[in-house]
Amino acid sequence: MINFQYLRTTIVKTALGLISKDPKATFIAGGTNLVDLMKRGVTAPEKLIDINHLPLKKIELINNVLHIGALTSNSGLAENAIVKEKFPLLMLALQSGASAQLRNVATVGGNMMQRTRCGYFYDTTMPCNKRQPGSGCGAIGGYNRMHAIFGTSESCIAVHPSDMCVGLAALDAKVVIASAKGERKINFTDFHRLPGTTPEKDNNLQKGELITGIEIPVNNFNKNFHYLKVRDRSSYAFALVSVAAALELNQDIIVNARLAMGGVAHKPWRLTAVEAFLKGKQATVANFEAASKLAMGDAKSFGENDFKLKLAPNSIIEALTVAKSKA
Ligand SMILES: Cc1cc2nc3c(=O)[nH]c(=O)nc-3n(C[C@H](O)[C@H](O)[C@H](O)COP(=O)(O)OP(=O)(O)OC[C@H]3O[C@@H](n4cnc5c(N)ncnc54)[C@H](O)[C@@H]3O)c2cc1C
Ligand code: SF4
């Protein structure tokens, strides 16, 4: 039994003051990832600051930008009327994650901060550079069926497990971050990191910072969209490969495209070069196939995940085809 202190506050400033004073303190929201990590000995915070009662649960459309509080639950966000109408791609991505029970308590901020599901990361008897820098990577040359094919390094080939984040990466979201020094905003696609030589860092949130919200500009991607998640079971399983696809169409011509993938990299994998390729082209299967080839340019597999080299392009073609076919 490892002792820890538990504190709860209803004031953002107090939460920021508490976290900045104590390097061994951490925030707890829904607890659906953090508590598992504590039980398995992967992490051992000395102080938990419960942020569930902070006033960060609003979902509001202001001047054509959707503002989402970081403590909104995953199910609350998916069921919100504005999200359903204007950001249905995000709704689908959220509904693909975890189970209904988990989505009821999992929060937006916690979902972004959830750690990889790499088995070696959770097993404290195994080497893992992410859990213990310098100890090696058990997955390279080991069991790596779920692992990355893009943006890997010699230190780590883990993937970010979130579905919601793939939708947010595709929709040009911004992350709102507060600290004792004030507020800053960064592009969602710059929030998560590639592993490089520092795989212990999942993202660019600094110590003492709190995610307070997400902002998404209104777009024209609420008609032709699809979130395709390929997984071992039809629910309650993480993605082998997922694709968030959205097309803005004028008849058959692609005016604009958005494409991001999950289950393939250490961060949600936005495919901006492929989006540029599709822009102005006809929405045909031949063009979707060419786009999928372009997407796979830098892919590299590690043995047990070789199948993703086929699954990923096929998933892109399927997601774009379904997106196009929506009335
Ligand atoms: C069995 C199972 C299956 C799952 N399947 C899926 C799936 O298919 N797809 C998917 O996307 N997810 C899946 N999940 C993951 C789930 O979505 C996450 O565990 C959840 O979103 C985390 O949110 P939380 O609020 O519970 O975070 P917590 O566990 O409370 O916190 C996680 C981390 O985030 C930090 N944190 C939380 N909020 C903030 C904030 N506002 N600012 C800064 N730091 C913060 C905490 O300090 C902690 O380090 C699954 C989980 C389980 C247990
Ligand atoms: S892939 Fe990353 S998380 Fe998994 S064992 Fe290697 S270093 Fe650890």
Side-chain angles (χ1 to χ4, degrees):
M1 177 74 192
I2 298 167
N3 284 324
F4 58 86
Q5 221 188 337
Y6 171 84
L7 302 167
R8 192 162 76 187
T9 175
T10 53
I11 302 163
V12 170
K13 209 172 163 190
T14 309
L16 293 173
L18 286 169
I19 200 96
S20 62
K21 269 192 229 137
D22 192 339
K24 295 206 168 151
T26 196
F27 295 129
I28 182 163
T32 59
N33 188 217
L34 183 61
V35 174
D36 277 355
L37 293 167
M38 289 171 70
K39 282 185 190 162
R40 289 173 182 240
V42 178
T43 184
E46 288 179 1
K47 197 178 275 177
L48 292 186
I49 302 164
D50 184 340
I51 55 175
N52 283 290
H53 299 276
L54 299 183
L56 299 173
K57 292 185 183 169
K58 273 194 187 160
I59 305 173
E60 288 176 302
L61 192 62
I62 305 168
N63 296 333
N64 271 338
V65 176
L66 186 71
H67 297 253
I68 304 163
L71 287 160
T72 309
S73 70
N74 285 189
S75 53
L77 186 56
E79 284 155 23
N80 179 269
I82 307 167
V83 173
K84 281 184 179 170
E85 186 201 329
K86 298 195 184 297
F87 306 94
L89 176 63
L90 177 60
M91 176 195 74
L92 282 189
L94 283 157
Q95 287 171 341
S96 307
S99 64
Q101 292 90 338
L102 280 161
R103 292 195 296 270
N104 281 342
V105 282
T107 62
V108 168
N111 189 305
M112 291 166 61
M113 295 291 288
Q114 66 172 300
R115 308 226 53 197
T116 184
R117 307 306 290 202
C118 172
Y120 299 93
F121 176 70
Y122 280 79
D123 184 343
T124 53
T125 64
M126 300 301 282
C128 171
N129 288 323
K130 187 180 276 298
R131 177 173 29 77
Q132 198 183 342
S135 63
C137 172
I140 298 176
Y143 182 74
N144 54 39
R145 185 168 175 273
M146 299 294 288
H147 288 69
I149 53 172
F150 294 117
T152 54
S153 75
E154 286 174 11
S155 301
C156 179
I157 58 170
V159 298
H160 192 267
S162 168
D163 292 292
M164 177 196 81
C165 292
V166 181
L168 289 173
L171 292 172
D172 295 331
K174 282 195 188 315
V175 187
V176 188
I177 295 167
S179 72
K181 290 182 209 149
E183 187 182 279
R184 69 182 178 111
K185 290 183 192 178
I186 59 171
N187 290 336
F188 193 87
T189 44
D190 295 330
F191 182 79
H192 296 97
R193 295 164 60 102
L194 289 178
T197 53
T198 52
E200 68 277 14
K201 292 183 182 162
D202 294 344
N203 55 60
N204 289 313
L205 196 76
Q206 305 299 315
K207 186 71 201 154
E209 290 188 321
L210 172 76
I211 303 165
T212 55
I214 294 289
E215 295 178 359
I216 322 177
V218 169
N219 53 54
N220 293 324
F221 296 115
N222 60 347
K223 286 192 185 68
N224 294 95
F225 60 88
H226 190 52
Y227 187 75
L228 175 70
K229 180 174 178 181
V230 184
R231 50 188 153 174
D232 286 327
R233 291 188 301 254
S234 60
S235 90
Y236 209 41
F238 291 92
L240 292 165
V241 166
S242 68
V243 181
L247 297 170
E248 186 185 340
L249 294 174
N250 182 1
Q251 311 281 4
D252 225 18
I253 300 297
I254 301 168
V255 178
N256 248 315
R258 290 288 180 274
L259 211 51
M261 299 186 82
V264 293
H266 199 257
K267 60 187 288 187
W269 195 246
R270 175 87 181 256
L271 294 156
T272 43
V274 183
E275 293 170 4
F277 168 83
L278 285 168
K279 199 170 170 175
K281 296 217 167 42
Q282 261 191 311
T284 59
V285 174
N287 281 330
F288 296 161
E289 282 172 359
S292 76
K293 282 202 183 94
L294 183 63
M296 296 305 293
D298 299 328
K300 179 183 169 193
S301 61
F302 293 86
E304 292 195 339
N305 70 349
D306 291 351
F307 70 95
K308 289 195 182 183
L309 298 183
K310 249 190 161 177
L311 181 61
N314 286 348
S315 301
I316 291 173
I317 297 165
E318 174 69 7
L320 287 168
T321 306
V322 175
K324 183 211 163 178
S325 66
K326 286 198 176 164

